[in-house]
């Protein structure tokens, strides 16, 4: 199959109509969103959704997020509640995914057999316009090969999906660069399943009762089931062995300089640290205090680490609070919990 890339914005009606026709015909289309690129299919078409799993090599027990144009469209696919609308008023459209009981119209192929469905209303103008034109809910996980870092540019999607899908919509670099915040809700409580750019603190302003699922920060214990199946897989991993350095207990610069002498390694350092290190295989993550920029560069740098063909990568252990919790969660899984300095 030939994979075509089209540069688009929300006014590229011809291209969006072509994408809409492909989706309605049961084909897959890669779509830009504000978080990462999604691999879209008609969420009401079982076979189309099964093809997402094939193209990604995604384990069949890992459910898909369903994207809608307006918060009210959730009514057609899920049993909503009051809290959903409070959250929607504040955070939608935007990088928040809410899990609720599913309606029969959503096939079990989308939810990996679960009775719940994950609903998101993207803010990206191209994604929004496409869902409107297609007039169907669109199931879309991240458009990467399973296990690889999520794609934040059309080129990353092409690297993974070339020959597997007919169309990639290129809407430029993603604004946030990390996948959506995933929560499940009751009428008066929130469980955070995957941290993203919408923080625990922001959620607490709408509903004070927010719990964090243990898999967000810790490794699942043997026999423990993940509330969000995606959390049990080693994800976002570069080919090299990634080590996180707890710089409260270990001098990061001293360790990095030593490793630069003795190993074929890359160093993910803060921008302020560039001049302190040998200028070889450095992957600057952004300024120490600029968590937004660090989030945006995260997956780009993990992919670049692969291009460098190094054996090891050393990075700071991120904070596990606020906006940085999303980085912590992705990095701790990318390094398979290899942390130096406790
Ligand atoms: P991705 O779309 O690749 O970013 O992954 C979607 C994430 O949402 C995965 O971690 C899934 O496990 C999670 N997810 C989707 N639907 C559900 C659901 N019904 N219950 C729990 N987690 C879900
Ligand atoms: Mg993913």
């Amino acid at each position: 199959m030939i994979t075509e890339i089209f540069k688009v914005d929300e006014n590229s009606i011809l291209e969006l109509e072509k994408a809409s026709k492909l989706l309605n015909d049961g084909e897959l289309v890669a779509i830009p969103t504000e978080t990462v690129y999604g691999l879209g299919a008609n969420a009401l078409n079982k076979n189309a959704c099964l093809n997402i799993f094939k193209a990604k090599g995604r384990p069949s027990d890992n459910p898909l997020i369903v994207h809608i144009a307006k918060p009210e469209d959730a009514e057609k696919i899920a049993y909503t509640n009051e809290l959903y609308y409070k959250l929607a008023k504040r955070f939608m459209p935007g990088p928040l995914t809410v899990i609720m009981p599913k309606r029969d119209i959503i096939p079990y192929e989308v939810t990996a057999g679960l009775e719940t469905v994950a609903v998101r209303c993207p803010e990206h103008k191209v994604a929004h316009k496409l869902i409107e034109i297609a007039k169907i809910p669109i199931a879309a996980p991240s458009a990467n090969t399973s296990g690889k870092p999520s794609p934040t540019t059309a080129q990353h999607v092409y690297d993974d999906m070339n020959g597997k899908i007919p169309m990639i919509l290129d809407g430029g670099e993603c604004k946030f660069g990390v996948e959506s915040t995933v929560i499940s809700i009751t009428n008066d409580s929130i469980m955070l399943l995957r941290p993203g750019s919408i923080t625990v603190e922001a959620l607490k302003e709408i509903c004070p009762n927010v719990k964090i699922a243990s898999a967000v920060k810790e490794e699942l214990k043997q026999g423990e089931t993940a509330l969000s199946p995606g959390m049990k897989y080693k994800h976002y991993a570069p080919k090299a062995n990634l080590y996180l350095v707890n710089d409260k207990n270990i001098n990061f610069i001293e360790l990095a300089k030593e490793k630069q002498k003795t190993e074929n390694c890359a160093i993910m350092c803060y921008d302020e640290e560039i001049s302190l290190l040998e200028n070889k295989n450095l992957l600057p993550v952004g300024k120490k205090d600029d968590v937004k920029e660090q989030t945006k560069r995260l997956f780009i740098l993990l992919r670049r680490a692969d291009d460098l063909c190094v054996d090891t990568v050393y990075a700071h252990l991120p904070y596990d609070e606020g906006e940085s919790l999303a980085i912590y969660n992705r990095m701790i899984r990318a390094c398979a919990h290899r942390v130096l300095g406790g």
Side-chain angles (χ1 to χ4, degrees):
M1 183 184 289
I2 305 236
T3 302
E4 288 188 287
I5 306 184
F6 295 87
K7 275 208 185 308
V8 290
D9 62 25
E10 71 275 22
N11 299 314
S12 311
I13 298 302
L14 279 181
E15 289 81 1
L16 293 179
E17 276 174 354
K18 184 179 160 78
S20 158
K21 177 155 186 346
L22 283 168
L23 290 167
N24 274 286
D25 287 348
E27 301 281 350
L28 306 185
V29 176
I31 304 163
T33 84
E34 68 276 21
T35 56
V36 301
Y37 273 74
L39 184 58
N42 176 358
L44 309 179
N45 179 331
K46 286 178 199 182
N47 288 328
C49 291
L50 284 176
N51 283 335
I52 291 181
F53 288 87
K54 271 193 215 142
K56 280 179 61 79
R58 184 175 177 98
S60 59
D61 65 350
N62 194 2
L64 309 175
I65 293 174
V66 179
H67 295 71
I68 53 177
K70 303 188 296 296
E72 310 85 87
D73 293 345
E75 292 303 333
K76 298 175 199 154
I77 59 174
Y79 292 96
T80 65
N81 61 23
E82 239 176 86
L83 180 55
Y84 169 74
Y85 283 101
K86 281 192 204 155
L87 291 163
K89 198 166 167 215
R90 171 75 182 269
F91 299 116
M92 292 185 191
L96 180 69
T97 297
V98 183
I99 293 169
M100 293 173 288
K102 81 175 199 70
R103 289 191 190 267
D104 288 344
I105 191 170
I106 291 292
Y108 285 112
E109 282 74 7
V110 169
T111 67
L114 297 175
E115 293 300 334
T116 50
V117 62
V119 179
R120 177 161 117 75
C121 181
E123 172 196 319
H124 196 290
K125 290 197 169 77
V126 170
H128 178 85
K129 190 81 188 179
L130 176 59
I131 304 168
E132 251 183 14
I133 294 178
K135 297 192 173 59
I136 41 173
I138 296 181
S142 50
N144 52 301
T145 300
S146 251
K148 282 190 68 175
S150 295
T152 55
T153 64
Q155 182 60 45
H156 292 166
V157 178
Y158 189 79
D159 293 345
D160 285 11
M161 292 297 148
N162 182 21
K164 296 184 175 169
I165 62 172
M167 190 181 200
I168 298 172
L169 296 176
D170 179 355
E173 206 173 285
C174 299
K175 175 172 147 190
F176 291 109
V178 73
E179 305 89 340
S180 59
T181 301
V182 178
I183 58 174
S184 66
I185 59 171
T186 66
N187 223 353
D188 57 5
S189 71
I190 295 178
M191 174 69 86
L192 177 75
L193 303 182
R194 179 175 76 184
S197 295
I198 292 177
T199 61
V200 169
E201 294 73 13
L203 292 168
K204 278 187 176 165
E205 286 173 24
I206 305 297
C207 168
N209 187 2
V210 180
K211 293 203 170 64
I212 302 180
S214 60
V216 167
K217 292 194 189 183
E218 291 153 29
E219 227 169 341
L220 278 179
K221 294 178 191 71
Q222 261 213 322
E224 192 179 355
T225 38
L227 290 173
S228 177
M231 283 300 189
K232 72 173 182 248
Y233 295 106
K234 182 185 173 200
H235 247 227
Y236 320 113
K239 289 177 201 143
N241 284 335
L242 171 65
Y243 292 89
L244 300 182
V245 180
N246 183 349
D247 53 22
K248 287 201 186 89
N249 299 328
I250 291 180
N251 183 313
F252 183 81
I253 296 296
E254 273 175 24
L255 177 126
K257 276 164 109 173
E258 181 58 33
K259 297 294 180 190
Q260 283 190 311
K261 278 189 218 140
T262 54
E263 290 179 18
N264 172 28
C265 66
I267 308 290
M268 294 175 76
C269 61
Y270 296 128
D271 288 0
E272 296 91 326
E273 295 171 328
I274 295 172
S275 62
L276 305 174
L277 292 161
E278 194 191 330
N279 188 9
K280 195 179 127 205
N281 295 342
L282 295 184
L283 299 168
V285 299
K287 291 215 169 71
K288 188 165 194 265
D289 294 331
D290 191 351
V291 178
K292 281 199 171 57
E293 182 62 25
Q294 291 167 26
T295 308
K296 202 168 166 177
R297 288 195 207 170
L298 177 65
F299 290 139
I300 298 173
L301 294 181
L302 290 178
R303 280 185 182 249
R304 206 167 289 157
D306 282 347
D307 299 338
L308 292 174
C309 294
V310 289
D311 303 323
T312 46
V313 179
Y314 294 88
H316 290 272
L317 175 69
Y319 296 118
D320 61 355
E321 275 170 25
E323 284 182 295
S324 192
L325 178 60
I327 305 181
Y328 178 90
N329 168 266
R330 304 314 188 272
M331 288 290 271
I332 201 87
R333 295 168 69 217
C335 79
H337 296 262
R338 278 184 293 251
V339 180
L340 306 177

